Amino acid sequence: MLRDQEIVSRFCEAGHLVDPTVVSYIQEKGDPALIQTILKSLSVNCTVVLPSHIPSLTQRRDGIRFTADPILEVIEGMEGSAGPVRQIEDYASLFRNRYDTLGSLIRKRTGSIPVEALIRSSRFRDSDVTIIGIVLDVKTTAKGHRIIELEDPTGIIPVLFNSGRDGFADAERIVPDEVIGVRGKLSPDAGLFYADQLLRPDIPIQHAPYTPHQSGKAVFISDIHIGSDTFLEDPWERFCDWISAEDDISYLLVAGDLVDGIGIYPGQEKELTIQNIYEQYDRLGEMLATLPSRLRIVLAPGNHDVVRGAEPQPAIPAEFRSAYTPNCTFVENPCAVSIQGVRVLMYHGRSIDDLISLIPGARYEAPSEMMEAMLKRRHLAPSYGRRTPVLATEQDRLIIDPVPEILHTGHVHITGISRYRGVLSVNAGAWQGQTAFQKQMNINPTPGQAIIIDLERMEPQVCDFLSK
Ligand code: D5M
Ligand code: FE
Ligand code: ZN
């Protein structure tokens, strides 16, 4: 296998810097001749070698787009399709679907063999092979190496990631239940698989995001928490005045926790100014009704909303919608919507709590790093059985496929923006000040901010309404 450093040096000797994505692409292809091919195709004044410089790799976009009328299109819907769990087999089919879908994304880039064949057949004993599976368990040895129990439909095998090898930092970020591929070799006693390289479903490096031909702006917010005594009335008013005056804004997307809800945590009633759930939704409807009717408003639920907590969460039911004007569209969590052809994947973001607790070095202050972790794993909530309840559905509805242009989350009440392989991740903050609980947990929210994206240029901007 080619080591990172060797690849970087080869480009360096030829007078070029190289983007890390290109390095991992060459590693994945495992073909040293590729370096020469790329070098030959470069112009002399190319300083940094980017994925777009790789010959034969054409940039393409992924999936269907709606560009004309209607300008707001709900792409994925599940209303009524996901009933309650009937039997344990429903979970088996959820994970089987996750393995099949995400495994095939890895298999597109490399051949792989079943775990059972690897263990039983002597044919693979001395060769480098790739296996693909779901992570059952993650452990660190006394010497700091990582041992992953990997399961595919045929068997289970422990996989060792040596802490001294290239890419170990990535192996340290492996979380339970994600689907990974591992290239490496079986130990002589067939009891352990030595990992050389970790492969994730990931965003294809040739992914080319769609940009619309019409100009337009969209505003991304989350976590309004109507009914809470920490709802920030004045910043919200300033936000409404501002958005009403900005004629070029056509969309307002809200990623959940529309209201504070009832009975979400013990003693919540003491922190509520509106103690009736219908009245909480009515209040929000009245507030949104004051905004210009040109705005298309998309409302998704979160863990404080009235619907069941298990994801995917259905849209807010009709009985709570009587105060809303027709420009409001209620969607599920998660939900993919198309605005002027730009695909936005909205997800409340409850799994960010789980990812922060599982990934070394993760921080609440940088939620968009966890969104990048979702994109690499092509899954919105990779680890099952922690803080994020997931419903047993035949198809895994939390898989990220096709790739969106924008991933929009909230939940942690902290603004964050990042770009990864052409996908813009925006975690919108909240309209609720620091709660007693967050103070206790030392979580410092960034309330009163909205993220505006110019759809034509895909340029995000944060607007702050907290202080006058
Ligand atoms: O969650 C807002 C943020 O605060 C999110 O990061 C979770 C955290 N939070 C809030 N309440 C709790 C409890 N009870 N346990 C653990 N973490 C919590 P929100 O969904 O707005 O409540
Ligand atoms: Fe919230
Ligand atoms: Zn939340």
Side-chain angles (χ1 to χ4, degrees), residues 262 274-283 319-320 322:
I262 306 282
I274 308 174
Q275 301 206 344
N276 176 304
I277 188 74
Y278 290 93
E279 286 172 25
Q280 290 183 0
Y281 282 103
D282 285 353
R283 180 80 194 98
E319 60 177 307
F320 299 95
S322 53

Side-chain angles (χ1 to χ4, degrees), residues 131-328:
I131 51 175
I132 296 171
I134 291 199
V135 174
L136 270 189
D137 194 21
V138 180
K139 282 195 210 99
T140 303
T141 67
K143 291 194 171 148
H145 307 307
R146 215 69 166 141
I147 303 242
I148 308 294
E149 290 279 332
L150 196 66
E151 178 177 25
D152 80 357
T154 68
I156 300 175
I157 188 159
V159 177
L160 176 79
F161 285 87
N162 188 307
S163 64
R165 299 195 74 113
D166 272 358
F168 184 69
D170 256 347
E172 275 191 300
R173 295 185 200 113
I174 293 173
V175 299
D177 310 318
E178 70 167 301
V179 175
I180 57 170
V182 189
R183 187 172 291 170
K185 237 187 215 126
L186 193 65
S187 64
D189 67 354
L192 186 65
F193 191 74
Y194 296 118
D196 241 347
Q197 194 185 359
L198 169 65
L199 302 158
R200 286 211 163 91
D202 224 316
I203 306 297
I205 67 165
Q206 65 268 45
H207 170 63
Y210 170 80
T211 45
H213 312 298
Q214 303 145 269
S215 61
K217 285 186 182 163
V219 171
F220 297 78
I221 61 169
S222 188
D223 296 81
I224 311 179
H225 287 266
I226 298 295
S228 158
D229 64 4
T230 42
F231 167 64
L232 298 167
E233 194 106 32
D234 292 344
W236 177 262
E237 286 294 322
R238 282 192 285 274
F239 168 66
C240 291
D241 290 346
W242 170 84
I243 202 169
S244 302
E246 294 282 311
D247 289 337
D248 54 351
I249 295 175
S250 321
Y251 308 94
L252 172 62
L253 282 72
V254 194
D257 285 359
L258 306 174
V259 302
D260 206 55
I262 306 282
I264 305 295
Y265 55 86
Q268 187 192 16
E269 59 281 2
K270 292 195 276 301
E271 297 173 22
L272 289 176
T273 53
I274 308 174
Q275 301 206 344
N276 176 304
I277 188 74
Y278 290 93
E279 286 172 25
Q280 290 183 0
Y281 282 103
D282 285 353
R283 180 80 194 98
L284 177 62
E286 288 155 14
M287 284 162 39
L288 296 176
T290 67
L291 300 180
S293 58
R294 67 171 150 80
L295 270 181
R296 299 296 301 260
I297 303 174
V298 186
L299 301 159
N303 53 303
H304 279 253
D305 284 288
V306 70
V307 294
R308 67 146 190 266
E311 298 171 7
Q313 293 183 285
I316 307 296
E319 60 177 307
F320 299 95
R321 301 183 189 173
S322 53
Y324 293 77
T325 47
N327 59 328
C328 292

Side-chain angles (χ1 to χ4, degrees), residues 374-408:
M374 294 175 194
L375 292 169
K376 286 182 176 165
R377 292 162 182 79
R378 294 290 289 269
H379 203 282
L380 294 169
S383 292
Y384 180 81
R386 284 153 214 273
R387 300 260 288 279
T388 313
V390 175
L391 192 74
T393 50
E394 219 166 291
Q395 309 254 316
D396 187 339
R397 285 274 330 273
L398 300 173
I399 286 172
I400 304 177
D401 193 35
V403 178
E405 272 75 45
I406 298 171
L407 176 60
H408 173 204

Side-chain angles (χ1 to χ4, degrees), residues 223 225 257 303-304 353 364 387 411-413 437-438 443:
D223 296 81
H225 287 266
D257 285 359
N303 53 303
H304 279 253
D353 289 329
Y364 271 97
R387 300 260 288 279
H411 182 61
V412 294
H413 297 200
F437 174 83
Q438 289 165 343
I443 297 176

